[in-house]
Amino acid sequence: MASFFTQICRGFSTACVRNVLIKHVTIIGGGQMGAGIAQVAASTGHTVTLVDTSEHILKKSVKGIEGSLKRVVKKKYADNPQAGEEFIQKVLSNVSTCSDAQAAAQSTDLVLEAIVENLQIKQVLFSALDEVAPEQTIFASNTSSLPITDIASSTTRLDRFGGLHFFNPVPMMKLVEVIGTSSTSQDTFDSLLNFSKALGKTPVSCKDTPGFIVNRLLVPYMMEAIRLHERGHGSKEDIDIAMKLGAGYPMGPFELLDYVGLDTAKFIMDGWSSMDPENPLFAPSEILNKLVAEGKYGKKTGEGFYKYK
């Protein structure tokens, strides 16, 4: 009977599940993005379970969170070190770790995925979690380029699936893109909006289109800077200076590409190009492809468009 009721609820879930107040969040992925989201959520009083594949990764994640909190405290509690230390301990007490994603998903309000940008891997993850997570649990992806609809298709909770795209570094960046698909219920979308606000972020509503808002504008801008350079119409140094001093940008496009990662930029463009091959904005770049093939991804490898060693 319980199994039958579950099937009915999943078929008519908008009638069974109302606006969820997100208090406990399970974050899948202990990398820079996942740890950053965990820090912000724990700092705003949410209970957080941070999940990754090994205890070693999770220990490194927690150590990174603690280090980031110490930098916050150094500024915010400069006149009261004791209060600062109490703040750190309180935030850390809100974070637990787990190397079993299915176990972690069995009791949570929100499962937020921040793992590798690979559609199949994300689908396998969410399909497994869909079998064990409570009916009311909302699923969300932090993907920056993959369609939320495609990720959600691996589950039976299409109405309880959305996107929460945070920006790096998460503790510093105020924006969150909240993405709804054609199947996302209004209750789910409102819950994700309210959760973003509870984190102290400013949410913007997005449709499930390539790149959402920010990357849909930003990535073609960076690619056009590369094409400008490829045509010999400007050096990368002059283009960077022009955009910083002329447009007021904190980084020029080549500096930003190196910061984001040239491999990441290529991955995004390759994906968009496969979806819309006739769109000139998504055309590949010889220079970008060459640098990525040589393992020159930007700051993280010591060389991209610029050298950092």
Side-chain angles (χ1 to χ4, degrees), residues 25 27 36-48 91 94 195 199:
V25 55
I27 300 169
I37 299 168
Q39 176 185 327
V40 171
S43 297
T44 49
H46 295 83
T47 302
V48 178
V91 173
N94 287 335
F195 174 65
L199 297 183

Side-chain angles (χ1 to χ4, degrees), residues 2-288:
S3 176
F4 176 74
F5 180 75
T6 297
Q7 296 285 342
I8 294 295
C9 249
R10 288 193 172 183
F12 301 95
S13 53
T14 53
C16 299
V17 180
R18 297 305 179 196
N19 197 316
V20 174
L21 178 62
I22 298 171
K23 296 181 179 179
H24 182 278
V25 55
T26 297
I27 300 169
I28 314 294
Q32 191 173 25
M33 290 301 296
I37 299 168
Q39 176 185 327
V40 171
S43 297
T44 49
H46 295 83
T47 302
V48 178
T49 302
L50 184 60
V51 180
D52 212 301
T53 55
S54 76
E55 293 297 331
H56 173 73
I57 294 173
L58 290 169
K59 286 179 181 178
K60 185 177 179 181
S61 300
V62 173
K63 186 176 180 180
I65 293 172
E66 185 174 6
S68 179
L69 288 171
K70 286 179 178 178
R71 291 191 291 274
V72 171
V73 163
K74 192 173 182 179
K75 295 180 179 179
K76 190 174 180 180
Y77 295 92
D79 298 329
N80 193 342
Q82 183 177 349
E85 182 59 31
E86 291 174 357
F87 170 75
I88 292 174
Q89 295 308 315
K90 183 177 180 181
V91 173
L92 291 176
S93 71
N94 287 335
V95 180
S96 62
T97 61
C98 180
S99 57
D100 185 339
Q102 284 188 297
Q106 290 180 17
S107 178
T108 190
D109 300 318
L110 170 68
V111 173
L112 175 57
E113 165 271 315
I115 62 173
V116 63
E117 283 284 81
N118 181 293
L119 177 60
Q120 185 176 6
I121 293 174
K122 291 179 189 292
Q123 288 177 329
V124 169
L125 170 69
F126 277 118
S127 177
L129 300 185
D130 188 44
E131 296 179 0
V132 297
E135 289 298 320
Q136 72 273 12
T137 299
I138 295 171
F139 284 2
S141 174
N142 182 58
T143 182
S144 61
S145 62
L146 297 172
I148 301 295
T149 300
D150 290 353
I151 303 173
S153 67
S154 62
T155 74
T156 60
R157 59 185 76 210
L158 301 183
D159 61 319
R160 287 152 287 156
F161 207 118
L164 283 175
H165 182 215
F166 291 80
F167 293 81
N168 189 33
V170 179
M172 300 294 295
M173 301 295 281
K174 292 294 186 182
L175 181 68
V176 177
E177 291 181 317
V178 181
I179 303 101
T181 73
S182 59
S183 299
T184 305
S185 73
Q186 189 62 50
D187 283 337
T188 295
F189 195 79
D190 289 344
S191 293
L192 294 175
L193 281 174
N194 292 335
F195 174 65
S196 302
K197 293 175 184 177
L199 297 183
K201 303 298 184 183
T202 300
V204 292
S205 301
C206 304
K207 298 297 184 181
D208 190 20
T209 56
F212 315 129
I213 293 176
V214 173
N215 282 337
R216 182 62 179 81
L217 296 172
L218 184 62
V219 175
Y221 150 74
M222 293 190 294
M223 293 300 298
E224 185 58 25
I226 298 175
R227 296 185 189 107
L228 192 68
H229 178 49
E230 286 177 325
R231 294 193 297 266
H233 293 168
S235 70
K236 58 182 182 291
E237 292 84 1
D238 284 345
I239 294 170
D240 277 349
I241 290 171
M243 293 310 296
K244 287 190 287 185
L245 300 185
Y249 289 7
M251 289 189 216
F254 292 97
E255 293 172 322
L256 185 56
L257 278 159
D258 278 356
Y259 180 80
V260 170
L262 305 191
D263 55 330
T264 301
K266 174 176 163 48
F267 176 85
I268 292 172
M269 291 306 298
D270 287 348
W272 291 358
S273 179
S274 66
M275 287 188 287
D276 190 3
E278 302 303 318
N279 192 328
L281 290 175
F282 301 157
S285 158
E286 289 186 16
I287 292 179
L288 179 62

Side-chain angles (χ1 to χ4, degrees), residues 285-307:
S285 158
E286 289 186 16
I287 292 179
L288 179 62
N289 289 347
K290 181 176 183 293
L291 288 170
V292 171
E294 293 172 350
K296 299 174 181 177
Y297 299 162
K299 292 192 73 173
K300 61 187 174 184
T301 59
E303 184 175 356
F305 282 102
Y306 297 108
K307 293 184 178 180

